[in-house]
Amino acid sequence: MKWLTRSLFALASAVAASGPAPAEDKKPVPAPTAARTAAEVEVVKDLAYAGTADEHQKLDLYLPKGQKGYPLVLFLHGGGFSKGDRKDAALFGEALAKQGVGVAAVGYRLFPEAKHPQPVQDAAKALAWLKSNAAARGWRADAVFVSGHSAGGHLATLLATDEQYLKAEKLAAGDIRGVIALSGAYVVPEARKDVFGDEAARKAASPLTHVKAGLPPFLLVYADKDSPGRDQLTKEFAAALLGVRGTAQVIEAKDREHGTLFTKIAAGDPTGEAVIAFVRKHSGKK
């Protein structure tokens, strides 16, 4: 129980503070970037990535129209593993695509029909599909990021830290250029045993358990009015990454709650600008 006692955060309840924030937390949120000519957005919907007709195993693309060789963000929606929809990411996808960053809004199977590890297996299958379709569709296969909000943030970070799901699709951590977690879940609490199972299974499904050297860079964002304990566990997860000489940038989004942290992301919004800057920096795109 030590891992749970030390790290448990609230999907349903609060956690105790876990010490000082890592140095990255003190960095200012980037100011809005200079005005750029916004790209037109090409939207392609309902692409099956797992070879099934299941509506939850489809993705929607938001792409900078007429461009080639741009980075792409695989985005996983929130909803507590039991609700939410890839269509919730439409405004997010359009905002990034206008700035030359493609977005794949990915659906995944939901509880109670699906339990762990099916959602993260879906995320891995979607990543494999995006990598294999890069040349035909226009984005860079070597510049695919994974991202998500809330439950989707958990899936994105688990996919990047526990390589078993990538290996099942003949991928590796190096196939992920970076990770963007918005109010993510880094430890699975007992309250979610319905989705994840017993204590051993919850520990194995917790991204914090799998922190090690050699992971991609992380951008970790939480809201100043987020769920109780989300700030402290975000900082603890970042500190663990820094402890193995990883790259972790932490940002507190001002005047945001758990939901609006995601829904208000746009170009010009500080959080949106931070996401775009992170992608540009780690993809080599200027």
Side-chain angles (χ1 to χ4, degrees):
M1 292 293 292
K2 289 184 179 179
W3 72 277
L4 188 59
T5 302
R6 180 177 63 85
S7 304
L8 180 61
F9 84 107
L11 285 173
S13 59
V15 297
S18 57
E24 276 77 356
D25 191 57
K26 299 181 184 299
K27 290 183 177 180
V29 176
T33 55
R36 304 185 186 97
T37 301
E40 291 186 48
V41 180
E42 176 185 3
V43 181
V44 184
K45 294 186 176 182
D46 303 323
L47 297 172
Y49 62 78
T52 76
D54 190 331
E55 186 64 21
H56 292 108
Q57 292 180 305
K58 293 182 180 180
L59 58 82
D60 298 335
L61 297 173
Y62 300 86
L63 309 176
K65 188 174 182 179
Q67 297 187 25
K68 298 286 184 182
Y70 47 84
L72 185 84
V73 175
L74 183 166
F75 184 83
L76 299 154
H77 64 80
F81 305 102
S82 62
K83 56 186 178 180
D85 193 287
R86 68 182 186 274
K87 297 176 178 62
D88 297 341
L91 294 178
F92 175 83
E94 291 174 3
L96 268 62
K98 287 178 180 178
Q99 298 300 316
V101 177
V103 172
V106 173
Y108 52 90
R109 289 169 290 177
L110 300 173
F111 181 81
E113 288 77 13
K115 295 183 179 182
H116 177 75
Q118 288 172 304
V120 69
Q121 289 170 341
D122 287 350
K125 288 182 182 297
L127 177 61
W129 189 95
L130 293 168
K131 298 280 285 188
S132 64
N133 282 273
R137 297 272 180 181
W139 55 83
R140 285 171 48 195
D142 66 343
V144 179
F145 294 72
V146 296
S147 179
H149 171 245
S150 194
H154 167 270
L155 295 175
T157 50
L158 183 61
L159 182 65
T161 56
D162 187 351
E163 211 164 5
Q164 66 169 302
Y165 305 110
L166 295 172
K167 288 180 177 177
E169 300 298 328
K170 298 181 172 56
L171 299 172
D175 287 302
I176 296 175
R177 194 76 174 202
V179 182
I180 303 159
L182 308 173
S183 195
Y186 311 113
V187 172
V188 179
E190 185 177 6
R192 295 323 311 262
K193 63 184 178 182
D194 54 347
V195 176
F196 292 93
D198 63 17
E199 181 184 348
R202 296 192 302 274
K203 180 178 180 180
S206 296
L208 186 60
T209 299
H210 302 286
V211 171
K212 55 189 174 296
L215 296 176
F218 285 74
L219 173 64
L220 307 171
V221 187
Y222 65 91
D224 60 349
K225 299 178 181 67
D226 214 320
S227 309
R230 196 79 58 151
D231 55 346
Q232 292 299 333
L233 197 71
T234 299
K235 294 170 187 177
E236 184 177 351
F237 184 62
L241 290 165
L242 295 172
V244 294
R245 302 195 177 194
T247 299
Q249 179 184 357
V250 177
I251 290 175
E252 180 186 75
K254 300 297 184 182
D255 301 316
R256 295 289 186 270
E257 298 175 354
H258 183 71
T260 57
L261 172 63
F262 168 62
T263 59
K264 292 190 176 181
I265 284 182
D269 161 70
T271 303
E273 291 297 332
V275 169
I276 293 167
F278 178 84
V279 171
R280 290 179 180 276
K281 175 180 179 180
H282 293 289
S283 67
K285 184 176 176 65
K286 304 299 183 183

